[in-house]
Amino acid sequence: MAADEGIKQLVSTLPTKPDCNSTTNLLYQYQGFWYHQYYLEHLIAAQTHFTPEPNTTILCSYPKTGTTWLKALSFAITTRTHYTPSQSPLLSRFPHDCVPFFELAPSAARNKSLVATHIPCTSLPAAAAASGCKLAYICRDPKDVVVSLWQFLRKQKKEEDDAEDADMGIEEAFEQFCEGNSFAGPYWDHVLGYWRACLEFPERVLFVRYEELKRETERCVKALADFLGCGFSLEEEKQGIVQGIIDLCSIESLKGLDVTKNGRFAPTDSMPYTIHNSSFYRKGEVGDWRNFLTEEMGARLDNIMADRFAGSGLGLWFSASNQETTN
């Protein structure tokens, strides 16, 4: 869906900043967050036109926090009565195609019970709150997020520019992230929006921590299934259905598929570029930031997050995350 002239006019009036991290030169500030023009135009259109059903679940995330993994798990859980792991559409279709971003692919998302978004909670379409639909949000240690986002956009920028000088340093990307000016940032406000919604509407909003999903995958997958309204029976557990879904949706499994190796992500014809599906997977490890950031950089970001999360109840979550990356 192409943006109409009214949306384009609105976007042209917004504050902008250069983006060191992307093929797109500018980031536009809208409702307190920063976006590339193409994405923002679709976001604004979705605020008016997207209307979920009461039984819809929206998988919400900041980029590079476990989005693809959450999509794969949720899709496999909700379709398990139709497909065994060996028959799953995930073997031939990318998770972003199975669970479309409603702001980028509104036609594909229409009438779907499972959709996804990177939109902050405070900017979700009003119809989402009015419908009573559920939100499942995944977050991750910001130090790993900034590295994963840098690697993803760095690879994309090299593909688009086809030049070695298209590379950008981690220091520059880190600084932009710490200032809150990266895509969909500030990260802390993105997290806090969904955290507060979870506290206010715990029956409608699930808050998932990537590190916990990695450490206690089976328990988290069963909790996700319960939230999605299709919990596992004791018989299914005995039959190994839970573990079968975990294995199907593992990074190792999904990375090796032909659709990952050779497919490309292009949710709409108007998207100005396409993305290799393989770009959405890297290591998925907890604490990999130590291979790219200095201890001083890590401590600086920790302090920023501790200050931003103060009084929210997220301090305990953040402390636990830091503890896991040091063990």
Side-chain angles (χ1 to χ4, degrees):
M1 179 175 62
D4 62 32
E5 289 305 314
I7 292 176
K8 289 182 178 293
Q9 177 61 31
L10 170 61
V11 171
S12 71
T13 67
L14 298 174
T16 62
K17 281 183 178 291
D19 182 15
C20 71
N21 251 336
S22 175
T23 52
T24 305
N25 293 324
L26 292 177
L27 287 163
Y28 295 77
Q29 189 180 44
Y30 178 70
Q31 297 182 344
F33 293 85
W34 295 92
Y35 308 98
H36 302 139
Q37 181 177 353
Y38 171 82
Y39 182 88
L40 178 55
E41 290 174 352
H42 282 72
L43 183 162
I44 296 171
Q47 287 181 321
T48 301
H49 300 295
F50 177 68
T51 305
E53 298 296 327
N55 67 339
T56 299
T57 298
I58 305 176
L59 307 180
C60 312
S61 64
Y62 185 89
K64 309 313 296 178
T65 57
T67 306
T68 312
W69 193 17
L70 181 63
K71 283 187 175 188
L73 287 169
S74 299
F75 181 82
I77 288 169
T78 56
T79 61
R80 70 182 188 274
T81 59
H82 302 288
Y83 311 102
T84 65
S86 63
Q87 301 168 326
S88 175
L90 287 168
L91 297 174
S92 57
R93 296 179 63 205
F94 201 63
H96 292 334
D97 297 319
C98 293
V99 185
F101 290 106
F102 70 74
E103 66 271 36
L104 294 179
S107 296
R110 190 173 296 118
N111 300 321
K112 290 269 190 178
S113 60
L114 202 61
V115 296
T117 190
H118 286 319
I119 298 176
C121 190
T122 51
S123 293
L124 287 174
S131 71
C133 69
K134 291 182 176 181
L135 311 176
Y137 183 74
I138 188 167
C139 63
R140 189 180 185 185
D141 184 330
K143 299 187 294 297
D144 281 328
V145 174
V146 67
V147 169
S148 186
L149 186 62
W150 168 67
Q151 292 276 20
F152 175 79
L153 294 175
R154 175 173 172 251
K155 183 175 182 180
Q156 183 63 22
K157 187 171 183 179
K158 278 190 173 182
E159 288 180 2
E160 293 299 312
D161 292 356
D162 193 28
E164 288 301 318
D165 60 5
D167 200 3
M168 79 290 288
I170 183 63
E171 296 82 4
E172 194 175 6
F174 176 80
E175 191 65 32
Q176 185 172 347
F177 190 90
C178 288
E179 292 174 354
N181 300 331
S182 56
F183 176 77
Y187 178 65
W188 47 85
D189 286 338
H190 203 288
V191 174
L192 280 170
Y194 284 98
W195 174 249
R196 289 167 179 153
C198 178
L199 294 179
E200 186 174 0
F201 306 105
E203 72 286 350
R204 285 185 50 209
V205 184
L206 179 68
F207 199 85
V208 181
R209 187 157 61 95
Y210 182 88
E211 292 76 14
E212 195 171 2
L213 184 57
K214 286 282 288 186
R215 186 182 68 247
E216 302 178 63
T217 307
E218 182 175 340
R219 181 186 66 78
C220 291
V221 166
K222 289 196 282 189
L224 176 61
D226 289 340
F227 179 77
L228 293 170
C230 49
F232 294 99
S233 67
L234 290 177
E235 186 60 30
E236 284 182 308
E237 292 186 37
K238 290 178 183 178
Q239 293 174 354
I241 302 299
V242 180
Q243 190 58 51
I245 287 176
I246 291 171
D247 293 342
L248 169 68
C249 300
S250 70
I251 291 178
E252 293 76 18
S253 173
L254 296 177
K255 281 178 69 173
L257 297 174
D258 182 70
V259 68
T260 300
K261 295 177 179 178
N262 300 311
R264 296 184 75 96
F265 175 65
T268 66
D269 292 338
S270 62
M271 189 167 174
Y273 53 85
T274 60
I275 304 171
H276 283 291
N277 288 344
S278 59
S279 299
F280 290 98
Y281 299 109
R282 203 171 65 85
K283 294 181 179 179
E285 295 177 356
V286 173
D288 186 54
W289 65 269
R290 294 183 181 280
N291 294 315
F292 300 92
L293 306 179
T294 65
E295 291 297 327
E296 291 75 17
M297 293 166 78
R300 178 186 170 194
L301 189 48
D302 285 347
N303 289 334
I304 290 172
M305 302 305 292
D307 179 64
R308 299 293 183 171
F309 288 163
S312 68
L314 269 173
L316 291 175
W317 164 81
F318 189 64
S319 297
S321 176
N322 286 338
Q323 184 65 32
E324 288 165 8
T325 62
T326 58
N327 291 338

